[in-house]
Amino acid sequence: MAKPDDNEAPMPEKVESAFHTIASSKCELGVGLGSEQFQSSPVYFFRAIWQTQPAIFRGAHSEYKNSPLLQKLNMNMNWDDIADLLHNCRCHHPTTGASPPLFFQDGAPVTDPHSSYASNPHAAYIDGCSIIINHADLGYHRVISQLCENLQATFPHVYANAYLTPAKSHAVEAHADDRDVLVMQILGKKVWKVYKKVPVILPFDKEQVGKHGNKVDAAVIKGGLCFNNEEVILSPGDVMYLPRGFVHEANTENLDAISGYEPSFHVTIAIATHDWCLSVLLSDTIRKTLDGVTKFRQALPIGSCEYQNSVTDEDASSHVKQQLDEAMVAIRSKVTPLLLEQNLRAKYQMHNAHANELRQRLTVLQQSKKRKSMEDSEETCVGYSAASQLTLQSLIRASTPEERSSVSIEEGRLRGLTVRKETMSVLMELLGKLKSDPALVVKVVDLRGLVEAGNETKDQSDGVGLSMVCDFTLLSFARCCIELGALAVVQYNS
């Protein structure tokens, strides 16, 4: 046998699919027997979990902020990434159809985010709002887009929604979805309740409880929880699968403050199974088949219209029966398993092509806007463009009167701040210390140090004080202050 050429290029390693990585992780079953022995794998997932029961795939995080699973999936994001994500989705993009993020406070939607926060996610966040970014895969951050593209090797079509929840808070109330989801915890921790009793099996859009005015029945809440009737905590790298119809709710309220309260950021991968079932596919295919025949487009002679007085009920019934018989013949001859499969695959391909086009278009748009902001930020240390480039490692100081007067507040831009009561005293104190010493320069990530000295008793059991001021609160507050001209950037990355 000939020896391989030493200069020959090595065979490329087989790239493991994103879903194989997830489904092969240590698994906790939502309603399966606790003593059941099984090997986590994609095969087992589709045999015993898919559309049947919730499950958690643990990320085997040896360190709190360094999950091997996130590394394998190339989903390692930090709070600077989240700040950029919020900035990128801040405005409506008419060329892509992407909409601004949604703000929720105490479980209720903020009905007029523009008047309250000038649609600035950072301003909403420091007032205690949760931020929901629908279709976060559409170019807002490349790693989310790549994850969705990778998962489409397993599922025909997926998209991503992103959820940022402040400490001691929750975004939405208990509800069920009309789609299967993979909840991927990226930063921070979140407490989940997944209820065992399913009120509507495999619901469609208008059947989702907790939405559209459909209340969650008390029997669901009293029926106990999945996962051994316990709440579960997702940490970075954990992925929870929820079949459509399972009622769930999540919060950051019950996490203790031993190492400080913190926000949570997770990405929900939506798998629109409600759109893949036979009832939807068959009705769409039959409609398309019958629409192609002129006589099936004609109005039926049923009703009390004057011009139909000469048509008896018996005549109408006979006419309907004749058309139905003819329609059934057309359906049986044209609606075949092959046609259904072709229509379903065509639907997948259309959705994927549209999503990929939007992702690419918005990615190019974001890159262009980022270059423009970087160019603008080189010319100024205050204002909108300067704020958009700020990171936790940036050096900042109090602005000068000249710098403050140079900030032009455009129509629709932020004009002031509202800060949640739990962090107000600390944030106002650190802003005051910066303003009182014009020579003071500090990293954003080190701002807490300005108020820590002598304030060891400032933390209270109810979560008010330093323990509530996390890194992302500091970054959001600093970005807002720089946009308003109260603070200035000395160096973007020290």
Side-chain angles (χ1 to χ4, degrees):
M1 181 180 293
K3 293 183 179 180
D5 188 342
D6 290 339
N7 296 322
E8 185 178 341
M11 291 292 291
E13 294 185 15
K14 184 178 180 180
V15 179
E16 191 175 81
S17 73
F19 185 72
H20 187 279
T21 301
I22 294 169
S24 300
S25 303
K26 181 181 177 181
C27 177
E28 300 171 12
L29 298 178
V31 297
L33 298 177
S35 60
E36 182 179 352
Q37 298 297 315
F38 62 92
Q39 180 66 41
S40 298
S41 69
V43 173
Y44 182 84
F45 174 86
F46 286 108
R47 177 169 63 84
I49 298 173
W50 174 245
Q51 294 214 296
T52 302
Q53 63 172 315
I56 296 176
F57 299 91
R58 294 295 182 183
H61 30 275
S62 55
E63 296 181 16
Y64 178 61
K65 294 184 178 179
N66 187 22
S67 164
L69 179 61
L70 292 181
Q71 290 180 338
K72 286 183 179 180
L73 296 175
N74 192 30
M75 280 297 291
N76 277 321
M77 300 176 72
N78 56 38
W79 290 117
D80 289 330
D81 292 319
I82 308 308
D84 287 342
L85 176 68
L86 295 190
H87 177 75
N88 289 341
C89 72
R90 182 170 172 178
C91 299
H92 176 68
H93 298 283
T95 60
T96 65
S99 299
L102 306 176
F103 303 156
F104 283 76
Q105 195 166 45
D106 299 324
V110 176
T111 56
D112 190 357
H114 186 74
S115 296
S116 301
Y117 308 109
S119 297
N120 184 331
H122 291 290
Y125 176 81
I126 60 177
D127 193 29
C129 291
S130 292
I131 315 297
I132 299 177
I133 305 168
N134 288 326
H135 293 283
D137 56 299
L138 296 183
Y140 292 132
H141 201 287
R142 185 57 188 158
V143 298
I144 301 178
S145 300
Q146 289 173 337
L147 177 64
C148 287
E149 291 167 2
N150 193 319
L151 285 170
Q152 283 170 189
T154 301
F155 303 100
H157 175 72
V158 302
Y159 60 93
N161 299 329
Y163 296 77
L164 173 66
T165 305
K168 293 182 69 66
S169 184
H170 68 285
V172 294
E173 305 296 345
H175 67 281
D177 295 314
D178 64 354
R179 70 214 71 124
D180 293 52
V181 299
L182 292 168
V183 177
M184 183 176 295
Q185 190 68 26
I186 307 298
L187 292 167
K189 297 182 179 182
K190 207 162 196 182
V191 181
W192 288 79
K193 293 180 181 179
V194 182
Y195 294 95
K196 189 180 298 184
K197 183 178 176 61
V198 179
V200 181
I201 304 296
L202 303 176
F204 292 111
D205 178 35
K206 299 302 182 183
E207 299 174 315
Q208 300 172 97
V209 297
K211 302 179 181 180
H212 308 304
N214 301 325
K215 294 183 178 180
V216 177
D217 194 89
V220 173
I221 306 300
K222 295 177 181 178
L225 301 173
C226 296
F227 302 106
N228 297 317
N229 201 32
E230 294 180 348
E231 296 179 343
V232 292
I233 297 177
L234 298 188
S235 298
D238 291 339
V239 178
M240 180 167 62
Y241 166 70
L242 287 176
R244 89 188 209 237
F246 276 81
V247 176
H248 55 277
E249 57 183 312
N251 66 75
T252 57
E253 294 165 353
N254 299 326
L255 300 172
D256 62 48
I258 294 176
S259 57
Y261 293 100
E262 62 183 339
S264 162
F265 178 78
H266 77 262
V267 173
T268 292
I269 303 298
I271 310 167
T273 45
H274 68 282
D275 208 27
W276 306 354
C277 59
L278 182 62
S279 65
V280 172
L281 180 62
L282 188 58
S283 62
D284 289 346
T285 303
I286 290 175
R287 172 69 183 269
K288 185 176 181 180
T289 299
L290 298 183
D291 283 351
V293 181
T294 302
K295 61 183 172 183
F296 296 141
R297 291 171 173 261
Q298 296 173 344
L300 294 170
I302 299 174
S304 56
C305 298
E306 289 183 2
Y307 69 87
Q308 292 181 341
N309 285 342
S310 60
V311 179
T312 67
D313 290 342
E314 185 176 347
D315 292 336
S317 179
S318 176
H319 180 79
V320 171
K321 182 180 183 304
Q322 180 182 349
Q323 282 216 323
L324 180 59
D325 289 342
E326 293 174 357
M328 293 302 296
V329 170
I331 291 169
R332 289 192 184 97
S333 64
K334 296 182 179 181
V335 180
T336 64
L338 179 60
L339 179 61
L340 291 175
E341 180 182 346
Q342 290 173 340
N343 286 352
L344 187 55
R345 290 186 183 278
K347 180 185 287 189
Y348 297 156
Q349 292 168 0
M350 179 192 67
H351 284 311
N352 289 338
H354 181 63
N356 291 339
E357 179 187 355
L358 292 184
R359 289 167 187 159
Q360 293 171 6
R361 192 186 304 170
L362 193 51
T363 296
V364 171
L365 178 63
Q366 298 297 357
Q367 291 172 344
S368 175
K369 290 179 64 178
K370 188 174 183 64
R371 286 194 297 269
K372 177 68 165 58
S373 293
M374 291 178 67
E375 293 170 359
D376 291 345
S377 65
E378 292 175 357
E379 301 175 2
T380 180
C381 56
V382 293
Y384 176 81
S385 295
S388 71
Q389 301 301 311
L390 198 72
T391 71
L392 284 167
Q393 298 302 316
S394 298
L395 293 172
I396 61 174
R397 58 167 171 77
S399 60
T400 65
E402 293 77 11
E403 289 166 343
R404 287 195 291 275
S405 64
S406 71
V407 175
S408 175
I409 306 297
E410 300 176 15
E411 183 66 29
R413 296 292 189 203
L414 195 64
R415 295 180 179 274
L417 290 180
T418 304
V419 181
R420 67 186 296 188
K421 64 179 181 180
E422 295 91 340
T423 60
M424 181 182 297
S425 61
V426 173
L427 295 179
M428 293 302 103
E429 183 175 346
L430 69 84
L431 181 61
K433 291 202 172 187
L434 281 168
K435 286 188 171 183
S436 66
D437 185 357
L440 180 60
V441 175
V442 63
K443 282 185 182 180
V444 175
V445 72
D446 295 331
L447 283 170
R448 290 177 87 250
L450 297 181
V451 295
E452 279 180 335
N455 281 333
E456 290 80 3
T457 61
K458 204 175 190 73
D459 287 326
Q460 301 174 16
S461 60
D462 61 357
V464 178
L466 287 172
S467 65
M468 289 285 288
V469 181
C470 62
D471 286 352
F472 196 70
T473 296
L474 294 174
L475 182 55
S476 292
F477 184 68
R479 281 198 173 206
C480 290
C481 288
I482 288 170
E483 181 171 337
L484 291 168
L487 299 177
V489 182
V490 175
Q491 186 176 340
Y492 284 102
N493 289 293
S494 60

